[in-house]
Amino acid sequence: MAGSIFGSAFRISTFGESHGKAIGVIIDGCPAGLDIDEVFIQAELDRRKPGQSAIVTQRKESDTVQILSGVFEGKSTGTPIGMLIPNGDQRSHDYGHIADKYRPSHADFTYQEKYGVRDYRGGGRSSARETAARVAAGAIAKLFLAQHGVNIQAYVSQVGPLILHKTAAELDLSLTESNDVRCPDPEMATQMIDLIKAVRKDGDTIGGVVSAVITGCPVGLGEPAFDKLHADLGKAMLSINACKGFEYGSGFAGVSMRGSEHNDAFYQEDGTIKTRTNHSGGIQGGISNGMDITFRVAFKPVATIIPAQESVNVQGESVEVTGRGRHDPCVLPRAVPIVESMAALVLADHLLRQRMTKNEK
Amino acid sequence: MAGSIFGSAFRISTFGESHGKAIGVIIDGCPAGLDIDEVFIQAELDRRKPGQSAIVTQRKESDTVQILSGVFEGKSTGTPIGMLIPNGDQRSHDYGHIADKYRPSHADFTYQEKYGVRDYRGGGRSSARETAARVAAGAIAKLFLAQHGVNIQAYVSQVGPLILHKTAAELDLSLTESNDVRCPDPEMATQMIDLIKAVRKDGDTIGGVVSAVITGCPVGLGEPAFDKLHADLGKAMLSINACKGFEYGSGFAGVSMRGSEHNDAFYQEDGTIKTRTNHSGGIQGGISNGMDITFRVAFKPVATIIPAQESVNVQGESVEVTGRGRHDPCVLPRAVPIVESMAALVLADHLLRQRMTKNEK
Amino acid sequence: MAGSIFGSAFRISTFGESHGKAIGVIIDGCPAGLDIDEVFIQAELDRRKPGQSAIVTQRKESDTVQILSGVFEGKSTGTPIGMLIPNGDQRSHDYGHIADKYRPSHADFTYQEKYGVRDYRGGGRSSARETAARVAAGAIAKLFLAQHGVNIQAYVSQVGPLILHKTAAELDLSLTESNDVRCPDPEMATQMIDLIKAVRKDGDTIGGVVSAVITGCPVGLGEPAFDKLHADLGKAMLSINACKGFEYGSGFAGVSMRGSEHNDAFYQEDGTIKTRTNHSGGIQGGISNGMDITFRVAFKPVATIIPAQESVNVQGESVEVTGRGRHDPCVLPRAVPIVESMAALVLADHLLRQRMTKNEK
Amino acid sequence: MAGSIFGSAFRISTFGESHGKAIGVIIDGCPAGLDIDEVFIQAELDRRKPGQSAIVTQRKESDTVQILSGVFEGKSTGTPIGMLIPNGDQRSHDYGHIADKYRPSHADFTYQEKYGVRDYRGGGRSSARETAARVAAGAIAKLFLAQHGVNIQAYVSQVGPLILHKTAAELDLSLTESNDVRCPDPEMATQMIDLIKAVRKDGDTIGGVVSAVITGCPVGLGEPAFDKLHADLGKAMLSINACKGFEYGSGFAGVSMRGSEHNDAFYQEDGTIKTRTNHSGGIQGGISNGMDITFRVAFKPVATIIPAQESVNVQGESVEVTGRGRHDPCVLPRAVPIVESMAALVLADHLLRQRMTKNEK
């Protein structure tokens, strides 16, 4: 009800603020007997952590995860997995200057109005720091999915006006991690990095798009009516800070097609039913059809900028807000592991839910 | 878990297939003492029902709703409101020809694989007929919201390549219901209707976009982390049949803006804090900020078409599928009340949830 | 949140008041491919229905169930099963005399205070008539459980001061349905029936206890911490009208035992691990251990009595309340199928949940 | 779904095993603006902690709680409150002798069968150590309830055959904390303590009953049908380790009464509607009526005993199990704060839920 619990069967509960003592997550529903590879979990967190490259925020956080429960002799026990990520960098003195000001396009105003109180240090609970907990949990979901042959890969396909027009099939996704912006096209990556550096020089920020492809998903995941697989993926993505839109398969572009063009013809090959095209994005009637699942996620430019902006304070008086300190000029590179993690949580959840749909399991 | 329950506080549970005896819905959590205007509920259903105009399916369904419980002497009692919509038109003989064929881009294949059995008549549970139950429940949510000053208006802003470039502010939304396609711009409406008729003549279908604007929403609706207001709106929209994408505020277009352009400056007017621009789409940090909430929903072309299509049957053999009977050439006009209903369900839910966020209510 | 949804995986949503048009239930989560035996479902409802014998209320209700969805060609499809039970006997004129009076130990006062409005006809939503929906859903849960070898049998073990001191093992439970009070001991049954008739003659009512035994339950059902199997069974039973207490295994009597007496020694027989005694009632650490699950449910005397009682009206003024019309002198005989149904719903739910607990299913 | 999440509006999620690194809890849904008294929270934990007196286990745990989030400048912020209790005493070498044995009436066997793996150290997740997390969360629920005038008091009313026959009204509950056994009758307390010491000398254990009374509860808490207030209280209590039964108001004893005796006559006093008797235990139709809420909870004797017991090992072979080390001879004294905490969580949850039941809040 209060927003910090996600999933039905593979369910996570998170806590923590940007400048509190720690953030953390409990997974309730991770199946027993799964090998828990702590090195992998930490590596996933490292993909998200600040300070990892020249084009992300230089805030200092090691984001070291501790597993506190639910794992015994290297395997999940089926009971809740508690994970803790202590906050290292709690320079709260940085935030005195915004304690009573509403930063434009941040959550300062809405939190203050909603709750009547607000932890103003670094955005408190509204900070994207909260997503570290998602990545820790998502890493375990990935370990579970990997055992069932499901693989999730996300990459940056747009930064500002720079659009990568190739499809996933035309790209070598193994190159995604080879550059700081996480774009699998090296040439485009260079342009994107240059753009982000230029934007940063202006004290400004820029948005972009993350694309994702899920391979190896079995047929049958997703539920009728409200919990369609793409609806749960969409909610998962839209819950990530700065996300402004979600589309899957043909997406918004598909609306101008005719049915005769858009429909994906079925055929059979080696006993497997496939579709000639994949405008459906791997999901039909809300349920995975065995083809690659593809979706795109829009992220707005980060709200924290250096130049002075018009605003008001808690008293409703006109004030000027200026940025200070460390922030991301572009959220996209760090969004990639978050998108993957949220997708993993949704898929793990539906993989478990699917086990209950037949009389005989 | 099984997908047919939606919402947390204002929670609905739906049932029913296209060609079963009836469809229906239970609302558990409608507050007591609300005037239940049955004429309004039926009028909302009439906006969605088949056969309402020349550009929608001519299937015959009166979609007459019966309220079975939860209302006493015209007022909600706080206990579950059960509503029933009997299916009038159950011509199941129409469907013998597709009983063992998988219609392209329908849910036939995925349901068969998921469950091992399938009600093939008219798509069974995967039919958009299920959305009538949503509209009945959404109408009651609208009645509740209206008492709190919240108003939801959706309209068709794109059909195929025909794009309405005006913003909601530039339109007279009272004209939405004045034409069959539900586009508030009369000139564009005429073009859209002509296009839909031409598409129908070809036995084909076409997609489009529904735009929506919510006015009067109080500040503070939406929850941190996962249940952000736009995340719940997104899931709600993506759960509607044929939906392929969702964006709010600046959406996908906003990604190419810089933060300095995109940020919405705060100012105060007559004691109310507002923003100069509204790229945030009325939602900041996942919580409503009192400005208009705006979003757009993409719908693909309907999968049922007349021309022959390549496919396979349940045995995996190659077959040809041809359309027959009555279907929508374009889902957009009938999607408008569904979009509004789903938005109303989300808003009603969050309006109730918001009551629990402070120590003193 | 509003109380009319039960279960997690095998989830039901109910609606309906005593004197509304109908009551009903939706099951969301019934696995696909289950043979739905409508004759059995109706037979279960007949065990609960009024007028079935001389010792229950003579209210006239046929309690005829209609299945509206989720079943195709005799099998469940995995989609929601909607069931409707129209109310036949809506003599609301009977209730004018209590429209503004609070009947002692009924829910009139609490509903009025909670909601500000109240359907006073026959208790509205608070009427035990609501349990017919549970029995319809429970019948389907029983069909599912039967396929997995799980069998649930309840019987009356106490009426007022008449206590059946035999254990389930000492009784022939096939005799339960052979008499009107549903006590498997014929001699005790006769005494109980005589007592209930005497109580009725006084216009009074009497309480009692239902005992239940579940055989064939696989090891492993139930979840750690909060959703222990007996905790969910307890909630299920306590949610039945007039229930005042629940105990399982050794129950309240077990508290005066020492650990050395109470502990159930393990031994192995033919490859199956069993316990010498069963003070645990088939549940250890909240999880079924394969032994018979045993529990007892206390029901208070029905609140509706004929003699005049002191009370107040909606205005808080002193009034006298006298009973009229048709009511149960003792709820026990009709409680038996309700207890079984609620147990079946809990077991079906946990049987499905158990499928998700291991990495490899 | 997996059992470690409790509550709807005031929702907690717990993790941790007996001998893991830490146990903890997240509260999602604590209203904002509540004064968080850390001293009180620690004091509640101290009432539950081991080693507090001569009649409880001498295991060494300081049970020091750390609040990691959700509190800013001493007040709750409305966002998740994360709390951590590090495990100090992790003497896992103690448990080698039972690593492959099933201790009688423990959860060793059922966990092993359910999950296929098991953290055998001190019972792992099935250990009552898990209840420390409940007490930490319950303390915050108590702080919230106190501001609304609700007070919860539990006490030991039976140990083995020693039964306190006085009602709460006949006792001075302020004496509960004045003795080690938490029985408010000093004379009875002395007898109970002597009995527990004698039982311990035998290496044995003994059960008992905790009684509870809730005063100041407003009218209207609890939901119709399944989430009746006493059903949720019952589930809460039954979820506590070693609990075997729950009854409220007249309970099991009430079943032998007639309706004319059992019904609670209404009268009005100073504008408040009350009942002459309180067999209803403060709850009618599942909803609080403003009278004291009373209930009783049965606890079996602790399963860990010193004498040799017959059992089997993981391979199903006959083995002998002997107790070692530190355990509670009687769980009752430490159960008192746990019962209060679980009651507080249920009441806080329903207090919030009640805010949503009317059209105008």
PDB file of all heavy atoms in Angstrom, chain D residues 2 34 37 61 66 71 98 100 136 151-152 159 176 226-227 241 246 255 260-261 268 275 285 296 313 328:
ATOM      1  N   ALA D   2       5.259 -15.783   0.468  1.00  0.00           N
ATOM      2  CA  ALA D   2       6.247 -16.670   1.084  1.00  0.00           C
ATOM      3  C   ALA D   2       6.243 -16.561   2.599  1.00  0.00           C
ATOM      4  O   ALA D   2       7.064 -17.174   3.270  1.00  0.00           O
ATOM      5  CB  ALA D   2       7.632 -16.386   0.520  1.00  0.00           C
ATOM      6  N   LEU D  34       4.966  10.854  13.158  1.00  0.00           N
ATOM      7  CA  LEU D  34       4.866  10.178  14.455  1.00  0.00           C
ATOM      8  C   LEU D  34       6.193  10.321  15.193  1.00  0.00           C
ATOM      9  O   LEU D  34       7.257  10.084  14.622  1.00  0.00           O
ATOM     10  CB  LEU D  34       4.559   8.698  14.203  1.00  0.00           C
ATOM     11  CG  LEU D  34       4.394   7.778  15.416  1.00  0.00           C
ATOM     12  CD1 LEU D  34       3.130   8.139  16.191  1.00  0.00           C
ATOM     13  CD2 LEU D  34       4.318   6.324  14.952  1.00  0.00           C
ATOM     14  N   ASP D  37      10.095   7.079  19.477  1.00  0.00           N
ATOM     15  CA  ASP D  37      10.799   7.032  20.758  1.00  0.00           C
ATOM     16  C   ASP D  37      11.674   5.780  20.776  1.00  0.00           C
ATOM     17  O   ASP D  37      11.227   4.688  21.092  1.00  0.00           O
ATOM     18  CB  ASP D  37       9.740   7.005  21.872  1.00  0.00           C
ATOM     19  CG  ASP D  37      10.348   6.921  23.264  1.00  0.00           C
ATOM     20  OD1 ASP D  37      11.562   6.640  23.386  1.00  0.00           O
ATOM     21  OD2 ASP D  37       9.595   7.111  24.229  1.00  0.00           O
ATOM     22  N   GLU D  61      22.022 -12.426  24.181  1.00  0.00           N
ATOM     23  CA  GLU D  61      21.728 -11.550  23.048  1.00  0.00           C
ATOM     24  C   GLU D  61      21.345 -10.196  23.618  1.00  0.00           C
ATOM     25  O   GLU D  61      20.419 -10.106  24.425  1.00  0.00           O
ATOM     26  CB  GLU D  61      20.542 -12.089  22.218  1.00  0.00           C
ATOM     27  CG  GLU D  61      20.862 -13.259  21.323  1.00  0.00           C
ATOM     28  CD  GLU D  61      21.761 -12.883  20.149  1.00  0.00           C
ATOM     29  OE1 GLU D  61      22.112 -11.707  19.974  1.00  0.00           O
ATOM     30  OE2 GLU D  61      22.124 -13.830  19.409  1.00  0.00           O
ATOM     31  N   GLN D  66      18.838  -1.037  15.724  1.00  0.00           N
ATOM     32  CA  GLN D  66      19.285   0.163  14.998  1.00  0.00           C
ATOM     33  C   GLN D  66      18.189   0.553  14.016  1.00  0.00           C
ATOM     34  O   GLN D  66      17.720  -0.288  13.256  1.00  0.00           O
ATOM     35  CB  GLN D  66      20.544  -0.141  14.191  1.00  0.00           C
ATOM     36  CG  GLN D  66      21.717  -0.667  14.998  1.00  0.00           C
ATOM     37  CD  GLN D  66      22.804  -1.236  14.092  1.00  0.00           C
ATOM     38  OE1 GLN D  66      22.827  -0.980  12.880  1.00  0.00           O
ATOM     39  NE2 GLN D  66      23.684  -2.025  14.667  1.00  0.00           N
ATOM     40  N   VAL D  71      13.083   7.680   9.541  1.00  0.00           N
ATOM     41  CA  VAL D  71      12.943   8.587  10.685  1.00  0.00           C
ATOM     42  C   VAL D  71      13.892   9.754  10.462  1.00  0.00           C
ATOM     43  O   VAL D  71      15.065   9.548  10.146  1.00  0.00           O
ATOM     44  CB  VAL D  71      13.270   7.866  12.010  1.00  0.00           C
ATOM     45  CG1 VAL D  71      13.162   8.824  13.193  1.00  0.00           C
ATOM     46  CG2 VAL D  71      12.346   6.664  12.206  1.00  0.00           C
ATOM     47  N   ILE D  98      23.012 -31.791  15.887  1.00  0.00           N
ATOM     48  CA  ILE D  98      21.644 -31.967  15.381  1.00  0.00           C
ATOM     49  C   ILE D  98      21.538 -31.652  13.893  1.00  0.00           C
ATOM     50  O   ILE D  98      20.441 -31.554  13.345  1.00  0.00           O
ATOM     51  CB  ILE D  98      20.625 -31.099  16.158  1.00  0.00           C
ATOM     52  CG1 ILE D  98      21.080 -29.615  16.148  1.00  0.00           C
ATOM     53  CG2 ILE D  98      20.418 -31.622  17.572  1.00  0.00           C
ATOM     54  CD1 ILE D  98      19.920 -28.658  16.238  1.00  0.00           C
ATOM     55  N   ASP D 100      21.893 -33.248  11.249  1.00  0.00           N
ATOM     56  CA  ASP D 100      21.139 -34.161  10.385  1.00  0.00           C
ATOM     57  C   ASP D 100      20.027 -34.905  11.127  1.00  0.00           C
ATOM     58  O   ASP D 100      19.479 -35.870  10.629  1.00  0.00           O
ATOM     59  CB  ASP D 100      22.076 -35.138   9.677  1.00  0.00           C
ATOM     60  CG  ASP D 100      22.657 -36.154  10.637  1.00  0.00           C
ATOM     61  OD1 ASP D 100      22.638 -35.900  11.867  1.00  0.00           O
ATOM     62  OD2 ASP D 100      23.095 -37.222  10.158  1.00  0.00           O
ATOM     63  N   ALA D 136      10.055  -5.166  17.609  1.00  0.00           N
ATOM     64  CA  ALA D 136      10.550  -3.846  17.197  1.00  0.00           C
ATOM     65  C   ALA D 136       9.472  -3.107  16.402  1.00  0.00           C
ATOM     66  O   ALA D 136       9.191  -1.927  16.646  1.00  0.00           O
ATOM     67  CB  ALA D 136      11.821  -4.009  16.362  1.00  0.00           C
ATOM     68  N   ASN D 151      -4.685   1.155  23.993  1.00  0.00           N
ATOM     69  CA  ASN D 151      -3.705   0.569  24.894  1.00  0.00           C
ATOM     70  C   ASN D 151      -3.860  -0.951  24.929  1.00  0.00           C
ATOM     71  O   ASN D 151      -4.973  -1.454  25.010  1.00  0.00           O
ATOM     72  CB  ASN D 151      -3.914   1.149  26.302  1.00  0.00           C
ATOM     73  CG  ASN D 151      -2.902   0.623  27.283  1.00  0.00           C
ATOM     74  OD1 ASN D 151      -1.728   0.481  26.955  1.00  0.00           O
ATOM     75  ND2 ASN D 151      -3.367   0.296  28.482  1.00  0.00           N
ATOM     76  N   ILE D 152      -2.750  -1.658  24.845  1.00  0.00           N
ATOM     77  CA  ILE D 152      -2.780  -3.122  24.796  1.00  0.00           C
ATOM     78  C   ILE D 152      -1.995  -3.682  25.962  1.00  0.00           C
ATOM     79  O   ILE D 152      -0.827  -3.317  26.157  1.00  0.00           O
ATOM     80  CB  ILE D 152      -2.144  -3.627  23.478  1.00  0.00           C
ATOM     81  CG1 ILE D 152      -2.913  -3.087  22.279  1.00  0.00           C
ATOM     82  CG2 ILE D 152      -2.086  -5.158  23.447  1.00  0.00           C
ATOM     83  CD1 ILE D 152      -2.180  -3.243  20.958  1.00  0.00           C
ATOM     84  N   VAL D 159       0.027 -21.202  33.685  1.00  0.00           N
ATOM     85  CA  VAL D 159       1.265 -21.941  33.418  1.00  0.00           C
ATOM     86  C   VAL D 159       0.995 -23.384  33.816  1.00  0.00           C
ATOM     87  O   VAL D 159       0.675 -23.659  34.983  1.00  0.00           O
ATOM     88  CB  VAL D 159       2.457 -21.387  34.222  1.00  0.00           C
ATOM     89  CG1 VAL D 159       3.668 -22.315  34.059  1.00  0.00           C
ATOM     90  CG2 VAL D 159       2.826 -19.987  33.751  1.00  0.00           C
ATOM     91  N   THR D 176       1.864  -6.467  36.210  1.00  0.00           N
ATOM     92  CA  THR D 176       2.343  -7.514  35.304  1.00  0.00           C
ATOM     93  C   THR D 176       3.861  -7.552  35.216  1.00  0.00           C
ATOM     94  O   THR D 176       4.486  -8.615  35.256  1.00  0.00           O
ATOM     95  CB  THR D 176       1.739  -7.314  33.905  1.00  0.00           C
ATOM     96  OG1 THR D 176       0.325  -7.361  34.016  1.00  0.00           O
ATOM     97  CG2 THR D 176       2.213  -8.387  32.936  1.00  0.00           C
ATOM     98  N   PHE D 226     -13.908 -11.640   5.528  1.00  0.00           N
ATOM     99  CA  PHE D 226     -12.703 -12.388   5.871  1.00  0.00           C
ATOM    100  C   PHE D 226     -11.771 -11.669   6.834  1.00  0.00           C
ATOM    101  O   PHE D 226     -11.062 -12.296   7.605  1.00  0.00           O
ATOM    102  CB  PHE D 226     -11.950 -12.760   4.590  1.00  0.00           C
ATOM    103  CG  PHE D 226     -12.804 -13.533   3.643  1.00  0.00           C
ATOM    104  CD1 PHE D 226     -13.239 -12.982   2.441  1.00  0.00           C
ATOM    105  CD2 PHE D 226     -13.237 -14.808   3.972  1.00  0.00           C
ATOM    106  CE1 PHE D 226     -14.054 -13.691   1.575  1.00  0.00           C
ATOM    107  CE2 PHE D 226     -14.059 -15.533   3.115  1.00  0.00           C
ATOM    108  CZ  PHE D 226     -14.470 -14.968   1.906  1.00  0.00           C
ATOM    109  N   ASP D 227     -11.707 -10.372   6.767  1.00  0.00           N
ATOM    110  CA  ASP D 227     -10.746  -9.635   7.591  1.00  0.00           C
ATOM    111  C   ASP D 227     -11.389  -9.089   8.854  1.00  0.00           C
ATOM    112  O   ASP D 227     -11.117  -7.952   9.276  1.00  0.00           O
ATOM    113  CB  ASP D 227     -10.097  -8.514   6.768  1.00  0.00           C
ATOM    114  CG  ASP D 227      -9.277  -9.051   5.608  1.00  0.00           C
ATOM    115  OD1 ASP D 227      -9.068 -10.276   5.524  1.00  0.00           O
ATOM    116  OD2 ASP D 227      -8.852  -8.238   4.772  1.00  0.00           O
ATOM    117  N   ASN D 241       5.398 -18.447  17.381  1.00  0.00           N
ATOM    118  CA  ASN D 241       5.914 -19.795  17.645  1.00  0.00           C
ATOM    119  C   ASN D 241       5.261 -20.408  18.874  1.00  0.00           C
ATOM    120  O   ASN D 241       5.077 -19.724  19.881  1.00  0.00           O
ATOM    121  CB  ASN D 241       7.424 -19.734  17.886  1.00  0.00           C
ATOM    122  CG  ASN D 241       8.149 -19.201  16.674  1.00  0.00           C
ATOM    123  OD1 ASN D 241       7.708 -18.219  16.081  1.00  0.00           O
ATOM    124  ND2 ASN D 241       9.232 -19.841  16.289  1.00  0.00           N
ATOM    125  N   PHE D 246      -6.470 -19.901  19.953  1.00  0.00           N
ATOM    126  CA  PHE D 246      -6.866 -18.510  20.148  1.00  0.00           C
ATOM    127  C   PHE D 246      -8.368 -18.479  20.386  1.00  0.00           C
ATOM    128  O   PHE D 246      -9.124 -19.171  19.709  1.00  0.00           O
ATOM    129  CB  PHE D 246      -6.524 -17.700  18.898  1.00  0.00           C
ATOM    130  CG  PHE D 246      -7.117 -16.308  18.886  1.00  0.00           C
ATOM    131  CD1 PHE D 246      -6.452 -15.249  19.499  1.00  0.00           C
ATOM    132  CD2 PHE D 246      -8.341 -16.056  18.282  1.00  0.00           C
ATOM    133  CE1 PHE D 246      -6.991 -13.970  19.490  1.00  0.00           C
ATOM    134  CE2 PHE D 246      -8.892 -14.765  18.272  1.00  0.00           C
ATOM    135  CZ  PHE D 246      -8.209 -13.724  18.883  1.00  0.00           C
ATOM    136  N   VAL D 255     -19.558 -21.561  24.200  1.00  0.00           N
ATOM    137  CA  VAL D 255     -20.363 -22.442  23.346  1.00  0.00           C
ATOM    138  C   VAL D 255     -21.450 -23.165  24.133  1.00  0.00           C
ATOM    139  O   VAL D 255     -22.443 -23.613  23.562  1.00  0.00           O
ATOM    140  CB  VAL D 255     -19.505 -23.494  22.600  1.00  0.00           C
ATOM    141  CG1 VAL D 255     -18.366 -22.828  21.859  1.00  0.00           C
ATOM    142  CG2 VAL D 255     -18.991 -24.580  23.514  1.00  0.00           C
ATOM    143  N   SER D 260     -29.722 -16.323  25.030  1.00  0.00           N
ATOM    144  CA  SER D 260     -30.321 -15.369  25.971  1.00  0.00           C
ATOM    145  C   SER D 260     -29.349 -14.977  27.079  1.00  0.00           C
ATOM    146  O   SER D 260     -29.456 -13.895  27.645  1.00  0.00           O
ATOM    147  CB  SER D 260     -31.599 -15.959  26.562  1.00  0.00           C
ATOM    148  OG  SER D 260     -31.343 -17.245  27.087  1.00  0.00           O
ATOM    149  N   GLU D 261     -28.424 -15.865  27.398  1.00  0.00           N
ATOM    150  CA  GLU D 261     -27.382 -15.543  28.387  1.00  0.00           C
ATOM    151  C   GLU D 261     -26.225 -14.812  27.740  1.00  0.00           C
ATOM    152  O   GLU D 261     -25.588 -13.952  28.340  1.00  0.00           O
ATOM    153  CB  GLU D 261     -26.712 -16.837  28.907  1.00  0.00           C
ATOM    154  CG  GLU D 261     -27.419 -17.730  29.825  1.00  0.00           C
ATOM    155  CD  GLU D 261     -26.535 -18.987  30.008  1.00  0.00           C
ATOM    156  OE1 GLU D 261     -25.679 -18.990  30.923  1.00  0.00           O
ATOM    157  OE2 GLU D 261     -26.686 -19.941  29.196  1.00  0.00           O
ATOM    158  N   GLN D 268     -27.179   2.990  26.801  1.00  0.00           N
ATOM    159  CA  GLN D 268     -26.461   4.222  26.509  1.00  0.00           C
ATOM    160  C   GLN D 268     -26.079   4.919  27.797  1.00  0.00           C
ATOM    161  O   GLN D 268     -26.881   4.967  28.739  1.00  0.00           O
ATOM    162  CB  GLN D 268     -27.396   5.117  25.677  1.00  0.00           C
ATOM    163  CG  GLN D 268     -26.700   6.242  24.990  1.00  0.00           C
ATOM    164  CD  GLN D 268     -27.199   7.568  25.518  1.00  0.00           C
ATOM    165  OE1 GLN D 268     -26.665   8.109  26.499  1.00  0.00           O
ATOM    166  NE2 GLN D 268     -28.250   8.083  24.906  1.00  0.00           N
ATOM    167  N   THR D 275     -22.283  -2.097  26.225  1.00  0.00           N
ATOM    168  CA  THR D 275     -23.020  -3.343  26.459  1.00  0.00           C
ATOM    169  C   THR D 275     -22.902  -3.719  27.932  1.00  0.00           C
ATOM    170  O   THR D 275     -21.871  -3.459  28.566  1.00  0.00           O
ATOM    171  CB  THR D 275     -22.490  -4.496  25.582  1.00  0.00           C
ATOM    172  OG1 THR D 275     -21.133  -4.767  25.907  1.00  0.00           O
ATOM    173  CG2 THR D 275     -22.608  -4.154  24.101  1.00  0.00           C
ATOM    174  N   GLY D 285     -19.690  -8.847  14.813  1.00  0.00           N
ATOM    175  CA  GLY D 285     -19.689  -8.913  13.355  1.00  0.00           C
ATOM    176  C   GLY D 285     -18.292  -8.662  12.796  1.00  0.00           C
ATOM    177  O   GLY D 285     -18.130  -8.247  11.659  1.00  0.00           O
ATOM    178  N   ARG D 296      -7.491 -14.702  24.463  1.00  0.00           N
ATOM    179  CA  ARG D 296      -6.576 -15.611  25.148  1.00  0.00           C
ATOM    180  C   ARG D 296      -5.811 -16.434  24.123  1.00  0.00           C
ATOM    181  O   ARG D 296      -6.368 -16.822  23.109  1.00  0.00           O
ATOM    182  CB  ARG D 296      -7.334 -16.530  26.099  1.00  0.00           C
ATOM    183  CG  ARG D 296      -8.057 -15.766  27.212  1.00  0.00           C
ATOM    184  CD  ARG D 296      -8.973 -16.677  28.045  1.00  0.00           C
ATOM    185  NE  ARG D 296      -8.221 -17.511  28.965  1.00  0.00           N
ATOM    186  CZ  ARG D 296      -8.108 -18.835  28.871  1.00  0.00           C
ATOM    187  NH1 ARG D 296      -8.701 -19.489  27.899  1.00  0.00           N
ATOM    188  NH2 ARG D 296      -7.392 -19.511  29.753  1.00  0.00           N
ATOM    189  N   ASN D 313      16.815 -39.400  11.558  1.00  0.00           N
ATOM    190  CA  ASN D 313      17.676 -38.406  10.938  1.00  0.00           C
ATOM    191  C   ASN D 313      17.241 -38.154   9.486  1.00  0.00           C
ATOM    192  O   ASN D 313      16.211 -38.696   9.048  1.00  0.00           O
ATOM    193  CB  ASN D 313      19.150 -38.828  11.024  1.00  0.00           C
ATOM    194  CG  ASN D 313      19.400 -40.111  10.251  1.00  0.00           C
ATOM    195  OD1 ASN D 313      18.578 -40.531   9.447  1.00  0.00           O
ATOM    196  ND2 ASN D 313      20.544 -40.729  10.510  1.00  0.00           N
ATOM    197  N   ASP D 328      14.357 -22.055  26.782  1.00  0.00           N
ATOM    198  CA  ASP D 328      13.344 -21.593  27.726  1.00  0.00           C
ATOM    199  C   ASP D 328      12.596 -22.785  28.317  1.00  0.00           C
ATOM    200  O   ASP D 328      12.045 -23.595  27.571  1.00  0.00           O
ATOM    201  CB  ASP D 328      12.331 -20.705  27.002  1.00  0.00           C
ATOM    202  CG  ASP D 328      12.872 -19.322  26.697  1.00  0.00           C
ATOM    203  OD1 ASP D 328      12.958 -18.507  27.629  1.00  0.00           O
ATOM    204  OD2 ASP D 328      13.218 -19.069  25.527  1.00  0.00           O
TER     205      ASP D 328
END
